[in-house]
Amino acid sequence: MDRELVVVIDFGGQYNQLVARRVRECNVYCEIYSYKTDLAKIKAMNPKGIILTGGPNSCYEEGAPTCTKELFEMGIPVLGLCYGAQLMQLVLGGGVEKAPVREYGKIEVLVNTNSKLFSGVSPTTVCWMSHNDYISKTAPGFEIVAHTADCPVAAAQNVDKNLYAIQFHPEVLHTQEGTKMLSNFVLGICGCAGDWKMDSFVENSVKALREKIGGGKVLCALSGGVDSSVAAVLLSKAIGSQLTCVFVDHGLLRKDEGDEVEAVFGPEGPYELNFIRVNAQERYYSKLAGVTEPEQKRKIIGEEFIRVFEEEAKKIGAVDYLVQGTIYPDVVESGLGGESAVIKSHHNVGGLPDCVDFKEIIEPLRDLFKDEVRKAGLELGIPEKLVFRQPFPGPGLGIRIIGEVTAEKVHIVQDADAIYREEIAKAGLDKSIGQYFAALTNMRSVGVMGDERTYDYAVALRAVNTIDFMTAEAAQIPFEVLQTVMSRIINEVRGVNRVFYDLTSKPPGTIEFE
């Protein structure tokens, strides 16, 4: 598929995915590659522009991530951010040193609005700084186009060579006009048309899948989450009944979720595909009996899913292709894309292949971020309720129940979670909170209900705001909303006599409650 490309070269910065997302918000396609990627490979992609990310190192230290001078001599516009800006200056003959004053947080930056990079930006603008080093001397041919009270080179440019260096982070939302700056680079300086949109992605993908698969048979493991759902609908649009979707209901889904998935994808739904629902609840509960350690629970749930899927696949027989709902963060975080530390080995990048007889894996969404997957879902006509469903872990409620998983505990957390989500939506907070759910602690304590003493469980409510799910802060939910949720859970859910609100940020905690 022909499309303009901007390449993000990753030096280990925590915001690498955010840079790519911001570029895509300018309707320009963007991919992330490690700084170790061969320059010939980058050049062969024929990118319209290159962006160098931040990173945790000092670029002048031995063994620090680096690049060659040739990168800046290919005639392709280059934008260096933070570490990338310092590295650009050092490689091209400038100086980088330990800063006398470390800058961190929101800082006022004075910019030269005559620079193409800052066209339409306020002369004084608030930006997000995070650096211990600073550019002490610009490389030959560069002029300074921004500074702060403590940072003499907040931005520099070499217009003749289309090289730009920014000491701050335009990709984070704390930089008030950062999107404008990135737009100026990719649209103004790189000359991108900005015509990469979801409707063209859907149309092109359906056409490409139809051509690739031909008359082949395709098998999809459908979880009911947004990624696998969008992948399934994309395939059904392309090949119809050549697609078989297997939905394993492990009894650890949210309340009524199995029936909701079947209503959309089953025989009564609008899509032409073969839908198989496997009700494996009792099978899972028996395997999980007596197991309390979170990682062991994860392994049992994952392993059992593969066994169930394998049994169904054998009934279907050989297929030509296996579909996976891998999305771009899965690829990057599994160490297959950028340079940042591997956060997780994701079940989508290497889960099922050994147990199914197939020729090739198809991952139609592997180039998309989550928000782009949702846009594609809406474009495909998938119900909004499913498209904007809250993130849900593969092991489901198995890791939102502390200690042993039982049918009784699952029903408690399902009912409590349904009440919580209902009240959050009623309060108009459902679109503004990054992720929220109820979990069941393993704590039981004495309570009083009516004239009787109780000895029941405590439910924990979790709600976080996050940009990238790498870090998160507890959401500030109005106290009256929490009180309503507490009152309803204790009155309507048998087995619960206390409700807690979890204030822990990530780090030190995780977003999930296990």
Side-chain angles (χ1 to χ4, degrees), residues 111-341:
V111 304
N112 180 347
T113 55
N114 292 322
S115 166
K116 281 186 183 177
L117 199 57
F118 299 122
S119 175
V121 173
S122 309
T124 302
T125 187
V126 174
C127 302
W128 183 259
M129 288 281 193
S130 177
H131 63 103
N132 291 314
D133 298 327
Y134 81 116
I135 298 164
S136 54
K137 186 181 86 171
T138 54
F142 280 82
E143 61 171 322
I144 297 169
V145 289
H147 68 276
T148 74
D150 294 311
C151 182
V153 187
Q157 64 182 25
N158 182 329
V159 176
D160 294 339
K161 294 188 176 176
N162 266 336
L163 303 178
Y164 295 82
I166 297 180
Q167 182 56 73
F168 51 87
H169 289 276
E171 70 274 21
V172 302
L173 295 177
H174 302 305
T175 297
Q176 289 176 353
E177 298 175 272
T179 301
K180 178 68 180 164
M181 297 169 196
L182 288 172
S183 173
N184 284 341
F185 178 71
V186 296
L187 301 180
I189 294 165
C190 300
C192 294
D195 57 4
W196 185 75
K197 294 188 176 73
M198 270 309 110
D199 53 358
S200 57
F201 169 82
V202 168
E203 188 184 325
N204 292 335
S205 295
V206 167
K207 187 179 170 191
L209 288 165
R210 197 172 283 147
E211 286 173 8
K212 179 182 179 71
I213 294 164
K217 286 173 71 178
V218 181
L219 182 60
C220 174
L222 183 66
S223 71
V226 63
D227 302 338
S228 67
S229 296
V230 172
V233 174
L234 206 52
L235 264 297
S236 83
K237 293 270 188 195
I239 57 166
S241 58
Q242 291 163 241
L243 172 68
T244 299
C245 289
V246 175
F247 170 54
V248 179
D249 186 343
H250 48 30
L252 302 168
L253 298 170
R254 287 168 287 206
K255 191 172 184 178
D256 301 329
E257 203 158 59
D259 294 338
E260 288 170 9
V261 171
E262 185 168 359
V264 173
F265 294 99
E268 305 302 317
Y271 304 111
E272 184 193 356
L273 51 82
N274 300 306
F275 177 82
I276 298 169
R277 177 176 179 175
V278 185
N279 291 312
Q281 295 92 328
E282 295 309 318
R283 178 171 174 169
Y284 273 85
Y285 296 155
S286 75
K287 288 276 182 183
L288 290 166
V291 179
T292 58
E293 204 273 318
E295 198 54 38
Q296 199 182 347
K297 285 195 282 186
R298 279 178 177 271
K299 282 178 179 163
I300 289 169
I301 295 164
E303 172 72 20
E304 204 56 26
F305 176 82
I306 291 173
R307 296 288 78 83
V308 175
F309 190 84
E310 184 178 34
E311 289 163 19
E312 293 304 318
K314 279 177 181 167
K315 294 175 194 172
I316 294 161
V319 294
D320 300 288
Y321 300 96
L322 179 70
V323 179
Q324 291 190 166
T326 312
I327 65 173
Y328 201 48
D330 300 336
V331 175
V332 175
E333 289 180 6
S334 299
L336 306 177
E339 181 57 29
S340 297

Side-chain angles (χ1 to χ4, degrees), residues 343-413:
I343 307 297
K344 60 183 175 182
S345 53
H346 197 279
H347 66 275
N348 277 341
V349 188
L352 300 170
D354 292 344
C355 72
V356 181
D357 183 11
F358 70 101
K359 293 177 188 170
E360 193 179 334
I361 292 176
I362 291 178
E363 297 172 310
L365 309 177
R366 69 177 283 125
D367 291 340
L368 302 187
F369 287 102
K370 180 72 82 175
D371 53 336
E372 294 168 336
V373 173
R374 289 195 171 109
K375 283 181 194 167
L378 294 175
E379 189 69 35
L380 285 161
I382 298 173
E384 194 168 309
K385 187 179 177 185
L386 198 157
V387 170
F388 288 99
R389 178 169 277 161
Q390 277 281 300
F392 195 56
L397 299 179
I399 59 166
R400 290 182 182 172
I401 294 171
I402 306 300
E404 183 185 14
V405 175
T406 65
E408 179 204 7
K409 286 183 175 180
V410 169
H411 291 137
I412 288 172
V413 79

